Amino acid sequence: MAAIALIAITTLSALGLGRIVAARHDAERARAGAEDARHAAETQRAAAEDLVAFMLGDLRDRLEGLGRLELLEGVSAKVVDYYRALPTADGPELSPAGRRRADALAVYAEAKLSAGDAAGAIGPLRDAVTMLDAAAATPQVEVEGCLIRMRLADAERALGHADAAVIALEGCSALAHRRLDAAPGDPS
């Protein structure tokens, strides 16, 4: 009887050990699959970011040189949608994706302005200014914000909103005063 019990225990132990080993292999395969999927997603995201950088940079510059910036309206709208779909992790520092989103909003607004749609440019320009204002006040972010504020002022002025244009430019005035008040050699 003891021999039968020993055989049963040994058999059950072997079966249990086999299940443990199989589960471990399954977990390792699942982990490898997840790692492959993560790597593929990162590769696709990097490719999308490269495409966006081309559209917001080189293509924008080429179309502006041809006086056809309005052709970017649909493309830049899709880029804005792409960035809106991404989770935001911006805190006091504007992430690279956050900066590209602000750039995409500005390009979209420029395309609207180029097409004669000043009213359609105001919302994206305000969104871009809000994003940049929420970021840490680095000289580069402040200058980008000032350039966008100037475009916003142009759009407001085109619609006859002189007071709104002045308000848009007040941020640039504050930047100019900080720059003038800074010690020589201090970029802030």
Side-chain angles (χ1 to χ4, degrees), residues 2 9 18 30 34-35 57 105 130 134 141 154 159 174 176 186:
I9 290 173
E35 182 63 27
L105 287 162
T130 299
V141 169
D154 289 342
L159 294 173
D186 180 4

Side-chain angles (χ1 to χ4, degrees), residues 92-127:
E93 294 293 323
L94 192 60
S95 69
R99 175 168 269 126
R100 283 188 295 274
R101 182 176 176 202
D103 289 345
L105 287 162
V107 169
Y108 177 64
E110 286 180 47
K112 289 284 205 182
L113 286 170
S114 182
D117 185 5
I122 289 175
L125 289 169
R126 286 182 181 160
D127 289 348

Side-chain angles (χ1 to χ4, degrees), residues 71-157:
L71 296 176
L72 274 181
E73 186 175 342
V75 170
S76 57
K78 288 294 185 187
V79 172
V80 170
D81 290 344
Y82 167 75
Y83 282 114
R84 282 192 177 132
L86 296 179
T88 58
D90 292 328
E93 294 293 323
L94 192 60
S95 69
R99 175 168 269 126
R100 283 188 295 274
R101 182 176 176 202
D103 289 345
L105 287 162
V107 169
Y108 177 64
E110 286 180 47
K112 289 284 205 182
L113 286 170
S114 182
D117 185 5
I122 289 175
L125 289 169
R126 286 182 181 160
D127 289 348
V129 166
T130 299
M131 288 182 72
L132 294 174
D133 283 352
T138 65
Q140 183 178 2
V141 169
E142 286 182 328
V143 169
E144 288 174 20
C146 185
L147 292 171
I148 293 171
R149 285 176 187 279
M150 288 191 290
R151 291 183 201 123
L152 177 57
D154 289 342
E156 295 284 12
R157 194 172 47 246

Side-chain angles (χ1 to χ4, degrees), residues 5-23:
L6 182 60
I7 292 172
I9 290 173
T10 303
T11 303
L12 291 174
S13 294
L15 290 173
L17 184 59
R19 286 185 182 164
I20 290 171
V21 169

Side-chain angles (χ1 to χ4, degrees), residues 1-67:
M1 188 58 118
I4 294 175
L6 182 60
I7 292 172
I9 290 173
T10 303
T11 303
L12 291 174
S13 294
L15 290 173
L17 184 59
R19 286 185 182 164
I20 290 171
V21 169
R24 182 176 177 199
H25 287 298
D26 289 346
E28 287 174 0
R29 278 193 302 271
R31 184 174 36 248
E35 182 63 27
D36 290 346
R38 184 187 64 77
H39 179 68
E42 287 175 359
T43 301
Q44 290 172 353
R45 186 169 183 165
E49 294 290 338
D50 285 345
L51 181 59
V52 166
F54 170 77
M55 289 186 294
L56 296 179
D58 295 344
L59 183 59
R60 180 207 171 281
D61 293 344
R62 290 177 188 175
L63 289 173
E64 185 178 39
L66 296 172

